Amino acid sequence: MAESNFIDYVKIYCASGHGGAGSSHLHRAKYVPKGGPDGGDGGRGGHIILRANHQFWTLIHLKYRKIVKASDGESGGAALSKGKQGADIYLDVPVGTVVKDADSGQTLFELVSDGEERILCRGGKGGLGNDNFKSATNQTPRYAQPGEEGEEGWFILELKVLADVGLVGFPNAGKSTLLASITSAKPKIANYPFTTLEPNLGIVRYRDDKSFVIADIPGIIEGAHEGKGIGLRFLRHIERNSVLLFMVSAEEEDVASQYRILLGELEQYNPELLAKDRLLAVTKCDIVDDKRMDEIEENLPEGVPYLFISSVSGMGIPELKDALWDMLSAPL
């Protein structure tokens, strides 16, 4: 099977440049045999900078770039000549990239807006030349500072998909079919579990040229918060969504129970997810009769807004768009 182009996790080694050494040069000229200090400062080492770029949607361009090393600053020279600064290296990453220290697992920062830049490894400062150390009591200092060392380490880059609405459901709940029916996205669709192995994004066109972004997240299984199945790999994508659309098939024997299991997986992964607006969509209602829908409705959890839909027949789809738009546009 061909390898996916969607890469949402990479581990890279980065090292910024060392600062250049300051110069301890003393001025010498034909008629100035004993000139004073004129050693210039060393140049700063190159930074390694991460830059959020909305044109990138995957980390695949960094998958095989395991080592990133910026250049060192040059040493200072005579006549107060300052050393050249080491070239900075910019790494473009998708908006929604989270950066962690690989050793401690600590989150260092997140890039959440297009064009945002953060220094991952700061270049070492250049050393001061001996001109900086002259004084009334030491008019010809013959020493200068060495440049500072740069920073280095292993880092983990994780992508969290940015979308307005995230689809949450067990495998084969109809998420990909819904995405294909209301957006121009072309997800893989088939009647077996785990058809979706990576998030798919689509833009939903709404009234008066409005739109919102919806993400089809790979299906949850029980124990996903513990890393079972594709587990944590997809649960982090849900953190970025403003609204969660829970999807349970009308074919399920107990729709309410399935919903509670989904909710429980999210709660055990990150309790803050329960604070997000959520809507329950009972899918595939074109293959059940009205009696079955009445039975499902009687047993649904109280206080949870719900809709009966069919992506194939179009049943409930306009109402679903209205409900999602109302949630997204509601004042905070």
Side-chain angles (χ1 to χ4, degrees):
M1 184 173 67
E3 187 174 9
S4 170
N5 287 329
F6 183 81
I7 301 297
D8 57 2
Y9 176 101
V10 294
K11 183 177 180 181
I12 58 175
Y13 175 83
C14 294
S16 58
H18 302 316
S23 171
S24 58
H25 189 269
L26 297 176
H27 178 66
R28 292 292 182 265
K30 185 174 182 180
Y31 301 106
V32 189
K34 293 184 178 180
D38 70 346
D41 301 339
R44 169 180 66 77
H47 296 323
I48 295 179
I49 303 171
L50 295 186
R51 177 172 56 196
N53 187 334
H54 73 279
Q55 295 182 335
F56 286 72
W57 65 281
T58 173
L59 295 169
I60 192 171
H61 60 294
L62 297 176
K63 181 178 180 181
Y64 301 106
R65 191 176 180 180
K66 295 297 185 184
I67 298 177
V68 181
K69 175 73 169 69
S71 58
D72 297 336
E74 295 183 358
S75 298
L80 301 178
S81 176
K82 184 172 182 178
K84 185 179 179 182
Q85 177 179 301
D88 296 333
I89 292 180
Y90 285 83
L91 300 177
D92 284 316
V93 295
V95 177
T97 297
V98 179
V99 182
K100 297 180 179 179
D101 182 278
D103 294 327
S104 66
Q106 178 185 3
T107 297
L108 303 178
F109 55 84
E110 302 181 21
L111 297 167
V112 296
S113 58
D114 185 43
E116 182 181 356
E117 296 180 3
R118 297 290 294 269
I119 297 176
L120 179 61
C121 291
R122 189 175 296 275
K125 292 182 179 179
L128 297 176
N130 63 346
D131 178 69
N132 295 275
F133 302 104
K134 64 185 178 183
S135 66
T137 57
N138 185 8
Q139 297 183 5
T140 56
R142 298 174 183 271
Y143 53 84
Q145 286 182 334
E148 293 183 358
E149 293 187 355
E151 300 174 342
E152 59 182 321
W154 283 94
F155 301 92
I156 292 173
L157 274 58
E158 292 181 345
L159 174 60
K160 294 181 180 179
V161 168
L162 290 172
D164 298 307
V165 179
L167 305 184
V168 182
F170 288 107
N172 208 27
K175 300 184 301 300
S176 296
T177 305
L178 175 66
L179 188 73
S181 69
I182 63 175
T183 76
S184 58
K186 306 296 182 187
K188 182 179 178 182
I189 300 172
N191 191 30
Y192 55 86
F194 292 115
T195 303
T196 302
L197 297 177
E198 61 191 46
N200 290 301
L201 295 177
I203 298 176
V204 179
R205 303 294 178 187
Y206 193 60
R207 303 170 184 174
D208 301 323
D209 294 325
K210 300 184 181 75
S211 65
F212 56 91
V213 179
I214 193 165
D216 173 17
I217 308 298
I220 295 178
I221 63 170
E222 284 192 77
H225 69 280
E226 299 172 343
K228 294 180 181 178
I230 16 182
L232 302 180
R233 185 181 156 201
F234 72 82
L235 278 172
R236 68 170 175 270
H237 293 296
I238 297 173
E239 295 183 65
R240 293 288 190 195
N241 308 143
S242 300
V243 173
L244 300 180
L245 177 58
F246 288 77
M247 300 181 64
V248 180
S249 171
E251 298 172 300
E252 296 290 345
E253 184 175 342
D254 189 341
V255 171
S257 174
Q258 296 294 292
Y259 167 76
R260 283 190 287 268
I261 293 172
L262 290 170
L263 200 62
E265 288 298 322
L266 266 60
E267 182 178 19
Q268 292 180 76
Y269 170 69
N270 182 355
E272 294 180 4
L273 294 176
L274 299 192
K276 293 180 180 290
D277 289 334
R278 54 185 184 265
L279 174 67
L280 172 60
V282 181
T283 66
K284 304 184 182 181
C285 290
D286 57 305
I287 60 175
V288 298
D289 55 24
D290 292 342
K291 181 180 178 181
R292 173 57 182 153
M293 284 192 283
D294 289 340
E295 292 175 353
I296 294 173
E297 188 171 18
E298 288 177 4
N299 295 291
L300 290 178
E302 293 184 5
V304 180
Y306 62 88
L307 288 169
F308 290 92
I309 69 169
S310 168
S311 301
V312 175
S313 69
M315 169 187 173
I317 298 301
E319 293 81 1
L320 177 64
K321 290 183 179 181
D322 289 340
L324 292 174
W325 180 259
D326 289 344
M327 288 181 168
L328 292 170
S329 57
L332 297 176

